[in-house]
Amino acid sequence: MTAFPDAEPVVLQPSTAPQTLCLALVGDLGYENSEEVLELVGEALRSREDVRTLRLDCRRLDMVDSTGLSALLQIHRWTQRDGVGLYLDHPGPVLERVLRITGTYEHLTAPRPPSPHHGTATQAYEIEG
């Protein structure tokens, strides 16, 4: 359980790179807040139509469960669909263990350059049920 349960699970971070959105994932990423995390990340992506790279700083994640992993996979689907490069920065031992056990480590951490087809999708960042 997170030491600060009322803290925002997604925090906007400054970026010096153009067309890069940097967000920090904070605390727990699981059943209780994964929908909120998806909404916040989707909102951040919608607010920046010029985004070519999304960097998620994971160093402050305390816990990740299967629902949290599902949220990361959904974000990955959004970025792939829209030609946005996704990077999980500083995954830490908790997240790395979950990714390795589930066989998703390479899938979510392999660097992907932005697609030249950026901006052709509907930009609908909605939670899929």
Side-chain angles (χ1 to χ4, degrees):
M1 165 115 342
T2 301
F4 305 103
D6 295 331
E8 283 292 317
V10 177
V11 178
L12 180 65
Q13 295 186 310
S15 172
T16 58
Q19 299 178 315
T20 298
L21 176 62
C22 296
L23 302 172
L25 300 178
V26 180
D28 296 347
L29 178 56
Y31 178 77
E32 292 183 2
N33 72 342
S34 62
E35 279 193 39
E36 179 184 10
V37 168
L38 285 172
E39 289 172 12
L40 291 168
V41 171
E43 185 178 300
L45 286 166
R46 280 191 304 275
S47 73
R48 293 267 318 270
E49 292 183 15
D50 69 326
V51 171
R52 303 274 309 198
T53 303
L54 172 61
R55 301 196 80 92
L56 297 178
D57 185 342
C58 301
R59 79 180 87 208
R60 293 169 48 196
L61 278 177
D62 296 327
M63 184 278 298
V64 180
D65 69 12
S66 60
T67 309
L69 175 60
S70 179
L72 291 174
L73 290 168
Q74 179 62 51
I75 294 166
H76 179 264
R77 283 189 292 274
W78 288 341
T79 57
Q80 287 292 106
R81 176 196 68 198
D82 294 334
V84 174
L86 173 65
Y87 298 88
L88 299 181
D89 296 333
H90 315 287
V94 171
L95 177 57
E96 185 173 335
R97 182 172 188 270
V98 169
L99 296 177
R100 290 196 185 278
I101 286 173
T102 60
T104 57
Y105 184 83
E106 293 297 323
H107 182 68
L108 287 175
T109 62
R112 289 175 188 83
S115 165
H117 302 292
H118 174 72
T120 59
T122 62
Q123 300 292 330
Y125 299 100
E126 298 175 5
I127 301 168
E128 295 175 3

